Amino acid sequence: MKPAAFDYLAPHTVAEAVDALGAGAQVLAGGQSLLLEMHLQRARPAVVADINHVPGLDALTVADGTLTVGALVRHRTFGSPGAVPGPLGDLFGRAVGYIAHPPIRARGTMVGSLAWAHPASEWCALAVALDAVVEVRSTRGTREIPAGDYFRGPFQTAREPDELLTAVRYPLLGPDTGVAFTEHRRTGFSFAQVAVGAALTVRDGVIAGARIGLANCADRPLRAHAAERAVVGAGPSPLLFAAAGEAAAAHDAAPVPEPYADVDYRRHVIAVLVARTLREATPV
Ligand SMILES: Cc1cc2nc3c(=O)[nH]c(=O)nc-3n(C[C@H](O)[C@H](O)[C@H](O)COP(=O)(O)OP(=O)(O)OC[C@H]3O[C@@H](n4cnc5c(N)ncnc54)[C@H](O)[C@@H]3O)c2cc1C
């Protein structure tokens, strides 16, 4: 199908982009979800504001222990070794390999994924697990929304329609933190049936901190608090991680049935993947 007719705007500043959104335009970032929706005519924006001409939105900066990712930083940036320092860069590097395929990773953006809020998005699960903060701007000003409050349901967020997501911020992970990301999917380029990202901090043989994010385990990305509680304060072991997997499946996840995966099957996959991800994340 062809998209319905629309007007095209190319703002050259954030202020122009925000004005366009205030007048009802919809943002075009990487276009890897929006253009598909427009071609299928599930999205029919009257006006599209293409933010690709706004300088500065492609900035990736590290300062004071915080990584700031601008709205035009593409997925593939995170596949470049050293783009993000330390374990956080390692975690993003592992996750990005699961996102679609190289052409989509070359255009699609991390922030666009947070705006789109697909329940199976790798970036959305990590944003929740890592206590990221999203920055949104409108003609009313700028506000910051913790990722834990930002996702409201499938494709639903706390962002108002006239707000531009300008950046997302993450605290860097310390050097005594190990990371892993695993995923189960039916076919090579489909979205995850279940994805798990983890960061595990171990000091003196004891798990001092755990961050576990789940994608496609509920109607929105989740932080697996029950699984985290199951491991913090104990020494890493396969039995402990198996128990954490069971806790995630039973208490954190709220999977919905899919055509090729009923709820029992999905809970089983969640338990197995959480245990595996924690084993892989254990720092050596
Ligand atoms: C075949 C296929 C497979 C895919 N597989 C995966 C996958 O495995 N994992 C995954 O996570 N994603 C996957 N995607 C989606 C892809 O990652 C997109 O790049 C991503 O969802 C959106 O990013 P974008 O920059 O392309 O945004 P766009 O497509 O440009 O925008 C998406 C939506 O977000 C809004 N938006 C974008 N940026 C902003 C902003 N700064 N402020 C306000 N609103 C904004 C747009 O208005 C639109 O509603 C897949 C897509 C395709 C087509």
Side-chain angles (χ1 to χ4, degrees), residues 212-251:
I212 305 170
L214 305 178
N216 221 9
C217 297
D219 69 348
R220 67 196 72 182
L222 292 179
R223 184 163 179 187
H225 291 289
E228 292 176 2
R229 280 195 300 274
V231 298
V232 170
S237 76
L239 268 182
L240 182 76
F241 295 152
E246 295 298 335
H251 304 300

Side-chain angles (χ1 to χ4, degrees), residues 120-154:
S121 157
E122 291 80 2
W123 293 144
C124 295
L126 288 180
V128 172
L130 296 168
D131 283 331
V133 172
V134 298
E135 180 189 275
V136 296
R137 207 173 298 179
S138 71
T139 53
R140 297 180 299 287
T142 301
R143 66 187 180 115
E144 299 199 328
I145 312 171
D149 300 331
Y150 172 78
F151 296 102
R152 297 275 168 88

Side-chain angles (χ1 to χ4, degrees), residues 70-255:
L72 286 178
V73 177
R74 314 287 167 181
H75 299 314
R76 74 167 173 197
T77 304
F78 302 98
S80 304
V84 174
L88 186 62
D90 192 10
L91 180 55
F92 284 173
R94 288 164 188 248
V96 74
Y98 289 105
I99 297 177
H101 48 72
I104 289 176
R105 297 202 283 264
R107 290 296 302 168
T109 64
M110 174 186 274
V111 169
S113 293
L114 302 182
W116 185 234
H118 194 298
S121 157
E122 291 80 2
W123 293 144
C124 295
L126 288 180
V128 172
L130 296 168
D131 283 331
V133 172
V134 298
E135 180 189 275
V136 296
R137 207 173 298 179
S138 71
T139 53
R140 297 180 299 287
T142 301
R143 66 187 180 115
E144 299 199 328
I145 312 171
D149 300 331
Y150 172 78
F151 296 102
R152 297 275 168 88
F155 310 103
Q156 289 165 30
T157 71
R159 183 184 75 84
E160 297 293 338
D162 67 342
E163 286 179 318
L164 177 71
L165 258 169
T166 44
V168 56
R169 283 188 250 287
Y170 302 84
L172 293 178
L173 296 172
D176 46 4
T177 301
V179 297
F181 198 96
T182 60
E183 186 159 315
H184 177 67
R185 53 175 64 201
R186 274 192 68 241
T187 61
F189 294 139
S190 57
F191 279 82
Q193 224 164 44
V194 171
V196 182
L200 218 50
T201 305
V202 178
R203 292 191 193 112
D204 301 324
V206 172
I207 298 171
R211 296 176 173 276
I212 305 170
L214 305 178
N216 221 9
C217 297
D219 69 348
R220 67 196 72 182
L222 292 179
R223 184 163 179 187
H225 291 289
E228 292 176 2
R229 280 195 300 274
V231 298
V232 170
S237 76
L239 268 182
L240 182 76
F241 295 152
E246 295 298 335
H251 304 300
D252 292 312

Side-chain angles (χ1 to χ4, degrees), residues 1-4 26 28 30-45 100-101 104 116 118 155 189 191:
M1 272 207 280
K2 297 278 184 210
Q26 186 162 356
L28 173 72
Q32 300 306 300
S33 295
L34 180 61
L35 293 182
L36 178 65
E37 294 299 304
M38 288 172 66
H39 277 278
L40 295 172
Q41 296 209 4
R42 291 193 296 225
R44 298 167 63 97
H101 48 72
I104 289 176
W116 185 234
H118 194 298
F155 310 103
F189 294 139
F191 279 82

